[in-house]
């Protein structure tokens, strides 16, 4: 497997119903995008596996789409269709990025796949305010060989991109792709996926 990717969506209380729907719709649209579909096909013969989780407070992470193997444009389009149908499972009171990272890392460690590039893609609209140590979570993920990339949604928080750069992302070639607000999420996640699904040699 070329790429093993967990897409972690913010389901904390600061994200209202409309804002969460924009995350879902943007992610679904990205997998239906022709360029993203070509990126998936460029990973052949190894392909990618992608899972989607919702995160909030400690113990509240929920897998909404289990790891799914993508080898073709058709696979990507089908994944986008399934993504469009997911529901929100929580209105978490906390924004525990640490829990989202730790639970996503466990998901990578426990599945039957072995991606040559292992990535957690964290999207969120605020700083970590949970009890667990964010630094410990990101360092533990790094020891697992996992790259953490960030998609800060800067709705009223322009400093959030710097927070993600300094406190969230980690690993070789890790990066932040900020969204100006929830309406800009679709653009940002498409660009982010094109980077994360690039061939291993690039």
């Amino acid at each position: 497997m070329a790429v093993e990717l967990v897409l972690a969506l913010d389901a904390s209380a600061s994200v209202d119903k409309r804002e969460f729907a924009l995350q879902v719709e943007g992610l679904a649209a990205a997998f239906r995008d022709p360029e993203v579909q070509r990126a998936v096909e460029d990973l052949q013969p190894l392909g990618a596996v992608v899972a989607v989780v919702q995160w909030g407070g400690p113990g509240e992470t929920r897998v909404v789409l289990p790891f799914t193997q993508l080898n073709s444009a058709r696979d990507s389009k089908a994944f986008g269709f399934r993504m469009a149908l997911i529901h929100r499972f929580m209105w978490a009171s906390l924004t525990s990025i640490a829990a989202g990272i730790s639970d996503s890392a466990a998901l990578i460690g426990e599945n039957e796949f072995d991606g040559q590039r292992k990535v957690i893609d964290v999207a969120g609209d605020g700083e970590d305010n949970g009890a667990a140590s964010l630094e410990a979570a990101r360092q533990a993920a790094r020891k697992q060989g996992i790259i953490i990339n960030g998609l800060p949604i800067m709705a009223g928080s322009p400093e959030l991109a710097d927070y993600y750069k300094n406190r969230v992302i980690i690993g070789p070639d890790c990066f932040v792709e900020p969204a100006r607000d929830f309406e800009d999420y679709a653009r940002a996640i498409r660009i982010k996926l094109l980077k994360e699904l690039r061939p291993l040699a690039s």
Side-chain angles (χ1 to χ4, degrees):
M1 196 58 53
V3 180
E4 195 175 343
L5 173 63
V6 177
L7 299 161
L9 304 180
D10 188 351
S12 61
S14 61
V15 179
D16 65 26
K17 182 178 179 181
R18 172 182 162 276
E19 291 166 344
F20 186 80
L22 286 169
Q23 287 186 89
V24 171
E25 292 163 9
L27 197 49
F31 280 97
R32 296 194 297 264
D33 180 83
E35 281 193 78
V36 172
Q37 292 175 3
R38 280 195 293 273
V40 168
E41 295 197 326
D42 285 345
L43 293 173
Q44 291 184 14
L46 298 176
V49 287
V50 183
V52 182
V53 303
Q54 296 174 19
W55 61 271
E60 295 180 319
T61 304
R62 178 75 173 263
V63 178
V64 293
L65 280 180
F67 274 112
T68 303
Q69 191 160 349
L70 306 181
N71 291 309
S72 67
R74 178 177 291 182
D75 292 342
S76 181
K77 183 178 181 180
F79 190 81
F81 176 78
R82 291 175 61 201
M83 182 68 212
L85 299 177
I86 73 164
H87 300 287
R88 184 173 188 160
F89 289 98
M90 74 190 82
W91 294 82
S93 58
L94 296 175
T95 301
S96 180
I97 300 173
I101 288 173
S102 295
D103 293 339
S104 297
L107 195 62
I108 288 174
E110 294 166 359
N111 68 57
E112 68 271 29
F113 303 104
D114 185 19
Q116 295 180 26
R117 183 190 298 133
K118 304 175 193 291
V119 182
I120 298 171
D121 182 337
V122 180
D125 75 338
E127 298 182 5
D128 186 290
N129 61 14
S133 168
L134 175 55
E135 182 62 18
R138 67 198 286 265
Q139 292 295 342
R142 186 186 66 165
K143 289 178 182 177
Q144 250 182 271
I146 296 171
I147 300 164
I148 301 173
N149 295 326
L151 199 165
I153 303 168
M154 303 184 299
S157 301
E159 72 284 353
L160 192 60
D162 286 336
Y163 178 85
Y164 265 64
K165 288 176 185 176
N166 297 324
R167 301 285 303 279
V168 178
I169 66 172
I170 199 166
D173 300 320
C174 63
F175 66 93
V176 166
E177 184 62 48
R180 294 183 300 275
D181 48 32
F182 282 91
E183 286 78 5
D184 191 42
Y185 174 88
R187 178 204 60 80
I189 192 62
R190 175 184 171 276
I191 292 172
K192 201 158 186 286
L193 285 172
L194 289 172
K195 294 178 182 179
E196 291 166 338
L197 296 173
R198 71 187 190 281
L200 295 174
S202 64

